[in-house]
Amino acid sequence: MNNKTILITGASSGIGEAIAKKFAAEGNKLILNGRNQEKIYALKKELEKSYNTSIHTIIFDVRDFDAAEKAIKELPDNFKDISVLVNNAGLALGVDKEFEGNMSDYETMIDTNIKALLKMTLLVVPGMIQRQEGHVINIGSIAGEKAYPGGSVYCATKAAVKALSDGLRMDLYDTPIRVTNLKPGLVETNFSVIRYHGNKQKADNVYRDIKPLTGKDIAEVAYFVASAPAHVQISEVEILATHQASAQMVWRG
Ligand code: 8X3
């Protein structure tokens, strides 16, 4: 696919950045969202230099619904027809027991991973219905399949992403619009550094003695599902490192 408009939330790093690169490399236009203006501007510059793409940036925290509304309302005419919405912005905070963690971490995860994804869906999907064209790709997780110790709230948010993806697919089944839930396992990005509140050593330990997935691996799958023929809806894809069998089963040799 090329010459389509792709909106990616949380595009300044990790899986979001890799998805931006892949879709730009294939000749699509991008709307890049992120909080970090410097990183988003640098990515725009790099991609516009390397590929046949043009990029519009929308800088805001996805939890700021007013900013999201304003950004979508004010899209330049040549970026208004969004063909693919990639709801990627999301995070895990902490590995505490459910009864010992802190409410502010819980709220940040719920607001980002669930409420902001819903807000973007509300803002973008009606335009897709009007044009009878579009694809929503939600970045879920293997964590949404089954809870694991120390991850209950994160797992709950990703279970919600699964439910929201399934429900949206049902609500759109009489339209050509497709919905995909991508569910990665271990992907080496800044995910674990954020989860461990900046403790690099603990973060590195998550990917110790295993070759984890990269953002690029997930981007290849995102591009594959988006470019499948129009009658093919890939509803879910779970992507694991070869030596990972479940969220908790990781073979480290
Ligand atoms: C991230 C995957 O296994 O750390 O969504 O929960 S895991």
Side-chain angles (χ1 to χ4, degrees):
M1 72 185 286
N2 57 49
N3 216 13
K4 301 278 189 196
T5 300
I6 322 296
L7 191 164
I8 304 158
T9 64
S12 58
S13 65
I15 294 174
E17 179 184 4
I19 290 176
K21 282 188 180 157
K22 176 66 185 173
F23 280 84
E26 300 290 342
N28 295 287
K29 291 189 281 189
L30 306 181
I31 303 168
L32 296 183
N33 157 263
R35 280 177 299 179
N36 187 324
Q37 177 166 314
E38 213 174 299
K39 279 195 191 166
I40 292 284
Y41 282 4
L43 182 60
K44 170 181 158 76
K45 212 169 147 193
E46 178 198 334
L47 297 181
E48 284 181 335
K49 201 171 126 197
S50 311
Y51 304 116
N52 178 24
T53 184
S54 54
I55 293 176
H56 177 69
T57 59
I58 50 175
I59 312 294
F60 58 87
D61 183 322
V62 283
R63 292 173 297 168
D64 182 346
F65 298 160
D66 291 340
E69 252 172 52
K70 190 165 180 290
I72 298 301
K73 204 185 285 169
E74 293 176 357
L75 284 175
D77 280 348
N78 54 334
F79 284 93
K80 275 196 191 318
D81 295 347
I82 299 165
S83 292
V84 183
L85 166 63
V86 184
N87 274 318
N88 164 73
L91 78 172
L93 285 174
V95 286
D96 305 299
K97 290 182 191 292
E98 195 174 316
F99 54 87
E100 288 175 345
N102 74 76
M103 201 56 205
S104 130
D105 281 355
Y106 294 166
E107 277 171 347
T108 302
M109 287 188 272
I110 291 166
D111 289 349
T112 310
N113 301 4
I114 306 176
K115 286 159 73 177
L117 175 145
L118 253 181
K119 181 67 188 178
M120 292 310 295
T121 302
L122 280 168
L123 288 172
V124 174
V125 171
M128 293 177 170
I129 294 172
Q130 216 166 35
R131 295 192 332 276
Q132 290 287 291
E133 187 243 342
H135 195 148
V136 178
I137 299 178
N138 289 330
I139 305 299
S141 170
I142 189 179
E145 296 300 301
K146 203 169 190 307
Y148 53 79
S152 64
V153 175
Y154 176 68
C155 293
T157 66
K158 292 299 181 176
V161 172
K162 178 179 168 57
L164 294 171
S165 306
D166 290 346
L168 183 63
R169 197 177 306 110
M170 292 172 195
D171 291 338
L172 290 168
Y173 87 136
D174 55 351
T175 77
I177 297 149
R178 303 181 291 188
V179 180
T180 301
N181 181 20
L182 288 190
K183 305 182 297 183
L186 286 174
V187 183
E188 189 161 20
T189 60
N190 58 0
F191 176 85
S192 291
V193 179
I194 292 169
R195 174 172 240 176
Y196 285 101
H197 295 289
N199 187 324
K200 181 93 175 56
Q201 206 181 337
K202 284 189 174 162
D204 286 345
N205 203 36
V206 175
Y207 311 109
R208 170 184 53 87
D209 296 331
I210 180 175
K211 189 169 167 51
L213 300 166
T214 63
K216 187 168 178 289
D217 296 321
I218 309 305
E220 293 293 332
V221 179
Y223 184 76
F224 180 83
V225 305
S227 52
H231 69 289
V232 178
Q233 174 171 226
I234 300 172
S235 52
E236 286 203 346
V237 189
E238 184 169 290
I239 310 137
L240 303 179
T242 301
H243 287 305
Q244 178 175 28
S246 73
Q248 290 184 279
M249 273 189 83
V250 177
W251 171 255
R252 298 187 195 270

